[in-house]
Amino acid sequence: MAKTLDYQITLYPAHRDGAFVVTQFQMMASYPEKRIQAAGMDDLIDKVTQFAMEHGESCSASVRCLAPRKPPGFKRATENLYFNLVDRTAEKRGDAAACPPTGNLRGGLA
């Protein structure tokens, strides 16, 4: 059985913009946090998912292992944790259509 370790979860605002996921982070801002204990990666992911679903908003979860050594598979299991993503592609397309192109995009002389 896997050893129980302490973790800290932080949820950052995120949304989908086309094929990309955009995470918003501001210095000195406060974000939802929770400390948990989990035994193994499956237990950890279940607890992170539960916390994100309780939060209910579009977010990216950052998980920090508070133990001196990270367990095997920690990075792979926690590198892309996105929940409840809202697609804002249509909003951006409307803004881009309203703005005419400016400058020479090739970088050469106009």
Side-chain angles (χ1 to χ4, degrees), residues 10-14 21-23 57-62 81-83 85:
T10 307
L11 301 179
Y12 297 103
V21 175
V22 180
T23 302
E57 295 180 22
S58 181
C59 63
S60 168
S62 172
L81 297 175
Y82 303 106
F83 302 94
L85 286 178

Side-chain angles (χ1 to χ4, degrees), residues 20-91:
F20 301 99
V21 175
V22 180
T23 302
Q24 299 167 347
F25 174 79
Q26 293 181 348
M27 297 298 287
M28 307 304 288
S30 63
Y31 299 101
E33 291 184 352
K34 184 176 186 178
R35 282 188 155 196
I36 61 167
Q37 290 186 335
M41 292 300 106
D42 291 337
D43 188 29
L44 174 63
I45 298 305
D46 288 344
K47 290 182 179 185
V48 171
T49 302
Q50 180 182 1
F51 179 49
M53 293 304 168
E54 288 171 1
H55 177 61
E57 295 180 22
S58 181
C59 63
S60 168
S62 172
V63 182
R64 188 172 138 216
C65 180
L66 302 176
R69 293 183 62 178
K70 295 176 189 164
F74 176 79
K75 182 177 180 182
R76 175 176 271 180
T78 61
E79 64 187 348
N80 292 312
L81 297 175
Y82 303 106
F83 302 94
N84 308 318
L85 286 178
V86 174
D87 192 354
R88 294 193 182 162
T89 306
E91 293 174 15

